[in-house]
Amino acid sequence: MGIDRREFIRIAGLSTLLGLGGKGAFELLRPGQVEASMAAKPAAEGVVRWAMVVNMRKMDDDTAKKCAAACHRVHNVPNFAQPKDPKDALPPDIVNRYEVKWIWPEHFHNAFPGEEHPHMPEQMKNLPFLLLCNHCDNPPCVRVCPTKATFRREDGIVNMDMHRCIGCRFCMAGCPFGARSFNWKDPRPYITDTYPGYPTREIGMVEKCTFCAERLAQNMMPACVEASSGALVFGDLNDERSQVRATLKRYFSIRRKVHLGTNPQVYYIV
Amino acid sequence: MLEKALVGTKRYYMLLAILMGIFALGFLFYLRQLQVGLSITGMGRDVSWGFYIAQFTYLVGVAASAVMVVLPYYLHNYKAFGRVTILGEFLAVAAVTMCVTFVLVDMGRPDRVMNVFKYPTPNSVMFWDIIVLNGYLLLNIVIGWNVLECERHSVAPPKWIKFLSYVSIPWAVSIHTVTAFLYAGLPGRGYWLTAIMAPRFLSSAFAAGPSLLILLCLLVRKYTKFDPGKEQIQSLAKVVTYATLINVFFFFCEVFTVFYSQIPDHMLHFQYLFAGLAGKSRLVPFMWFSIVGMTVTAILLTNPKLRRNENTLAMLCGMVILTTWIDKGLGLMTGGFVPNPMEKVTEYAPTIPEALITIGVWALGFLVLTLLYKVAVSIKEELKA
């Protein structure tokens, strides 16, 4: 008994085909999965929903710089303007093109294009609005990623598997906030002090702010929040007693490009 | 039949050698890109898709346009196109080959390309684009090859081939529609966020693709003993005329909505392309040449005299190819990314290595095209003799 070679190849081939097609079909027939990544989630009991409030009343250039520096240091974000070896120096326009940014300051009219008007307080125009990934409830980057390398966690964090990313940059086109960076160039020669607690990256993949998922796992606040002297408030939006909820209740806040329906979870008090 | 591609005139070998040389040059630069990353290109954090994806988009259109010879032949029994369907299908094969290569070349991590199949993600339009493109490639290879084989042995093609040909008609429309959906569903990119993008893609495809096919038919007639036929070329010319007119019409539909509504998110991109923004205006002369040239060409094409004269027709087809290429190959990508989400203006221009890699992929496509056309034409010549 047994099967001959031909028969074996036939069965093996067919089952491979079915296996491959089957997975795709399964995904297709599980609409819950797709919906989960597309629709805003209602607040559920006992579920954490991380969010950040940027209190511009307490923000100044120095604080903004400290926040960005703290984040970029603990995440090994390269600074292309400061190579380890002077012979790797790059001209400024190239630095702008390759730049990797997780959190960075912009003026009001860049942070909230179209919202500025000539009669607003002069000082507001020049405040450093810290921009970062909004960890949207309905993130377009997750929707467009062809490998689920970008995904939304239960706690609302939009995270990335940098080992899965194929570098197609669909997410960069999809993100309406410019929050995503691509490794155009090997970042390692541009990291002055490599921080041992976080991996450095290679060329060819996308990265962004993760709300410090790795620090949250150790019950630590995000690095930028720690460095912000109270200008950044971080916490659980589903917890009534949390500081973010108290701050949002007390002050009026705005968010970036809400009309696009991504439901951003970084709030700005102006 | 493949043996037909192996023997030919000296000129044929020369053409192959030149194309292979250009491809090899591009490949060398691609090896360099693998080493140093996409910093070898002119792209950056603001304009994160450039020349590669633009060529991909344009060529999906060329591939889809094969339907313009397949549809009249199979659905309307327009016998005259029987002579040129094979040329249309093989053009599609070459075009999709280039599309797939351009996507691969654009990837930051081509070594991880299999992740797309390992983790299939139906909510990503790219997932569907990969399915429809590869399906279309397969369809055209199978249909083209089998029909040619049957023609060679003077037997009617099997029924299932006819069935596949019917399938290939809506499939052709799907490849360019899905490719448009890659862009048209992104919330923050005003230039792309328009329902007319897929129709516009199709109209420009049905203008550019048949134009290229007309030029190829003229070349085939000039350099081989096979004549694709005067009537066939004239019928294609009518397709080009209508498609170009519709394409211009769609463009002005878009312009009306954008500028009458006065919504800045949509207007700024057009302002950058046609007038310049924040003192940056690199693409302005190209875009004006494209839209004015396309409009004038469309009007000239409506004149039967200019169409019937194959010399003027060839020139007009050349203009259609050039102007649609500027629109889709230069304007579409950069226009979508400028200004960026913070309304800052960073311009884009391809670098020399990037251009050489691009030309290398085109050479690969034309190499495939030359080999396939050689087979097709040899069979046709053999039948005539």
Side-chain angles (χ1 to χ4, degrees), chain A residues 50 71 74-75 102 135 151 153 155-160 197-198 208-223 234:
Chain A
W50 297 116
C71 164
V74 300
H75 294 117
W102 286 30
H135 297 273
F151 55 94
R153 305 195 330 181
D155 58 6
I157 293 181
V158 175
N159 212 340
M160 280 207 61
Y198 203 80
K208 67 168 194 75
C209 156
T210 64
F211 261 178
C212 280
E214 81 286 357
R215 290 167 63 93
L216 292 175
Q218 297 173 57
N219 277 324
M220 290 196 290
M221 275 282 151
F234 184 86

Side-chain angles (χ1 to χ4, degrees), chain A residues 20 23-24 27-28 34 37-38 96-101 104 106 109-111 113-114 131 140 142-148 162-170 172-186 202-205 256-257 259-260 262, chain B residues 33-50 52-53 106-110 112-128 130 181-183 185-189 192-193 265 337 340-344 346-347 351:
Chain A
L20 283 175
K23 194 170 178 197
E27 289 289 339
L28 201 59
V34 182
S37 61
M38 290 173 69
N96 286 340
R97 251 173 49 204
Y98 298 166
E99 208 173 359
V100 176
K101 298 193 270 201
W104 73 100
E106 293 279 4
H109 73 279
N110 295 119
L131 306 189
V142 171
R143 203 180 317 156
V144 299
C145 177
T147 61
K148 302 188 193 81
M162 288 190 238
H163 295 281
R164 189 185 281 194
C165 175
I166 58 171
C168 70
R169 312 189 294 294
F170 204 177
M172 296 179 78
C175 176
F177 304 105
R180 292 180 156 268
S181 304
F182 181 74
N183 285 282
W184 300 98
K185 198 178 173 61
D186 182 11
E202 297 175 338
I203 53 165
M205 66 200 82
R256 296 173 70 198
K257 300 187 184 182
H259 63 285
L260 297 179
T262 69
Chain B
Q33 179 183 304
L34 282 181
Q35 238 170 21
V36 303
L38 283 160
S39 60
I40 204 170
T41 70
M43 293 184 272
R45 64 173 294 123
D46 291 319
V47 184
S48 47
W49 279 336
Y52 299 150
I53 292 298
D106 185 70
M107 265 184 194
R109 297 300 302 247
R112 296 181 186 164
V113 62
M114 284 331 239
N115 282 2
V116 176
F117 305 101
K118 262 162 85 183
Y119 313 105
T121 310
N123 49 293
S124 173
V125 182
M126 205 169 286
F127 170 82
W128 296 104
I130 288 165
F181 286 178
L182 285 174
Y183 312 105
L186 304 177
R189 308 283 175 183
W192 297 336
L193 193 65
D265 295 359
F337 283 115
N340 78 357
M342 272 73 68
E343 285 193 0
K344 290 186 174 176
T346 312
E347 292 201 285
T351 59

Side-chain angles (χ1 to χ4, degrees), chain B residues 303-356:
Chain B
N303 184 339
K305 267 193 215 138
L306 294 175
R307 239 178 19 234
R308 263 177 230 135
N309 179 335
E310 283 181 350
N311 290 324
T312 48
L313 176 65
M315 276 193 300
L316 291 172
C317 286
M319 269 301 278
V320 170
I321 294 170
L322 184 64
T323 53
T324 51
W325 183 82
I326 292 171
D327 179 26
K328 247 163 152 176
L330 286 180
L332 182 78
M333 278 308 120
T334 314
F337 283 115
V338 180
N340 78 357
M342 272 73 68
E343 285 193 0
K344 290 186 174 176
V345 178
T346 312
E347 292 201 285
Y348 160 81
T351 59
I352 290 168
E354 187 179 8
L356 287 172

Side-chain angles (χ1 to χ4, degrees), chain B residues 179-323:
Chain B
T179 303
F181 286 178
L182 285 174
Y183 312 105
L186 304 177
R189 308 283 175 183
Y191 188 62
W192 297 336
L193 193 65
T194 164
I196 205 150
M197 179 160 273
R200 241 182 103 190
F201 268 27
L202 286 165
S203 62
S204 73
F206 296 156
S211 291
L212 184 57
L213 197 56
I214 288 176
L215 295 185
L216 289 170
C217 285
L218 293 174
L219 282 176
V220 164
R221 182 202 280 158
K222 189 166 178 200
Y223 290 106
T224 73
K225 288 187 218 78
F226 170 60
D227 179 7
K230 222 174 166 62
E231 187 196 334
Q232 285 78 351
I233 288 174
Q234 285 306 312
S235 298
L236 280 172
K238 278 180 204 135
V239 173
V240 172
T241 307
Y242 280 111
T244 313
L245 283 168
I246 293 170
N247 193 41
V248 171
F249 170 67
F250 283 171
F251 174 79
F252 284 107
C253 288
E254 176 73 26
V255 166
F256 170 78
T257 302
V258 166
F259 283 97
Y260 198 79
S261 70
Q262 303 268 312
I263 299 173
D265 295 359
H266 296 261
M267 264 194 325
L268 284 171
H269 301 278
F270 277 89
Q271 280 166 351
Y272 166 68
L273 288 175
F274 288 92
L277 206 60
K280 306 218 169 132
S281 54
R282 192 176 276 164
L283 287 178
V284 171
F286 291 98
M287 293 313 289
W288 279 107
F289 174 78
S290 168
I291 191 58
V292 173
M294 202 187 297
T295 312
V296 172
T297 308
I299 293 167
L300 290 179
L301 274 167
T302 55
N303 184 339
K305 267 193 215 138
L306 294 175
R307 239 178 19 234
R308 263 177 230 135
N309 179 335
E310 283 181 350
N311 290 324
T312 48
L313 176 65
M315 276 193 300
L316 291 172
C317 286
M319 269 301 278
V320 170
I321 294 170
L322 184 64
T323 53

Side-chain angles (χ1 to χ4, degrees), chain A residues 165-259:
Chain A
C165 175
I166 58 171
C168 70
R169 312 189 294 294
F170 204 177
C171 55
M172 296 179 78
C175 176
F177 304 105
R180 292 180 156 268
S181 304
F182 181 74
N183 285 282
W184 300 98
K185 198 178 173 61
D186 182 11
R188 285 164 191 158
Y190 300 89
I191 305 169
T192 334
D193 298 301
T194 307
Y195 181 74
Y198 203 80
T200 56
R201 273 79 71 193
E202 297 175 338
I203 53 165
M205 66 200 82
V206 175
E207 59 182 73
K208 67 168 194 75
C209 156
T210 64
F211 261 178
C212 280
E214 81 286 357
R215 290 167 63 93
L216 292 175
Q218 297 173 57
N219 277 324
M220 290 196 290
M221 275 282 151
C224 57
V225 177
E226 263 183 11
S228 70
S229 345
L232 300 180
V233 180
F234 184 86
D236 178 7
L237 211 54
N238 287 348
D239 177 2
E240 267 176 61
R241 290 153 307 172
S242 70
Q243 212 193 332
V244 268
R245 279 287 287 272
T247 317
L248 289 177
K249 198 163 181 171
R250 188 147 168 227
Y251 302 102
F252 174 72
S253 56
I254 55 172
R255 292 177 293 164
R256 296 173 70 198
K257 300 187 184 182
V258 273
H259 63 285

